[in-house]
Amino acid sequence: MGMSVTISAATGQDAEQIFRLQYLCFQSEAALYGNYRIDPLVQTLDSVREEVTRDCVFVARLGEEVVGSVRGSVTEDGAAAIGKLCVHPRLQGHGIGARLLRAAESALAGDHGATRFRLHTGHRSEGNLRLYRKVGYETVGTSQGTDGVPMIVLEKPASTYAATA
């Protein structure tokens, strides 16, 4: 019998593990687009520390190890921008991403007054798109990342929390 994965708010102590996990997890996205300059791979540790302090950040832990994370913040238009959802490759496909998403959505709506949730993912990221659609997100548009990657913009009302995937 193994340990259970727990979801909790991130602390400043988690920043370095989040930074390393993010770098590991987004390698497959970079390969998918042939672009190793995507934001999660070029973000600095100091910038991750700032986000952990400023934004709504949750981690998934297996014992003391951070094996997943997600970040969110409420924008001027009342939407919660959710991003950098990642789960360690060895633990993907077990519902951890949906649990992290649900924790972020709950905090962003309940504690920060978000009226809807918005996220972006690369247009070729079928696994991500499948997860987001499964938990109620719908495509509302497209954009281009600062790294040049074409993105799909998805949203859902804040009254709809992520169901277990």
Side-chain angles (χ1 to χ4, degrees):
M1 220 192 243
M3 290 184 275
S4 294
V5 172
T6 59
I7 308 294
S8 61
T11 69
Q13 307 286 54
D14 297 321
E16 192 168 331
Q17 284 193 69
I18 292 169
F19 175 74
R20 288 182 180 157
L21 177 69
Q22 171 180 304
Y23 192 81
L24 170 69
C25 291
F26 281 90
Q27 292 294 318
S28 59
E29 287 293 298
L32 190 58
Y33 296 98
N35 182 347
Y36 288 84
R37 302 287 304 156
I38 61 174
D39 182 55
L41 297 186
V42 298
Q43 186 176 21
T44 66
L45 176 56
D46 285 341
S47 175
V48 172
R49 283 187 178 117
E50 288 173 23
E51 287 180 355
V52 169
T53 301
R54 178 190 66 226
D55 296 340
C56 182
V57 181
F58 284 87
V59 293
R61 293 180 204 285
L62 184 60
E64 295 298 313
E65 180 186 6
V66 172
V67 296
S69 73
V70 66
R71 291 167 233 178
S73 60
V74 178
T75 61
E76 289 179 14
D77 66 354
I82 298 175
K84 295 186 182 130
L85 174 65
C86 62
V87 174
H88 195 289
R90 77 176 188 269
L91 296 172
Q92 291 176 1
H94 296 283
I96 297 168
R99 289 176 58 202
L100 282 163
L101 202 50
R102 190 169 43 252
E105 289 173 354
S106 178
L108 289 162
D111 300 337
H112 301 278
T115 57
R116 67 188 179 288
F117 307 119
R118 178 182 304 132
L119 48 81
H120 301 72
T121 193
H123 72 295
R124 294 182 190 152
S125 303
E126 287 303 321
N128 297 349
L129 289 165
R130 195 171 27 259
L131 168 65
Y132 299 143
R133 289 180 176 135
K134 190 173 188 177
V135 298
Y137 284 83
E138 295 181 2
T139 300
V140 296
T142 59
S143 67
Q144 185 165 328
T146 55
D147 50 24
V149 173
M151 306 293 277
I152 295 177
V153 182
L154 300 106
E155 286 188 0
K156 74 175 184 178
S159 58
T160 319
Y161 292 105
T164 49

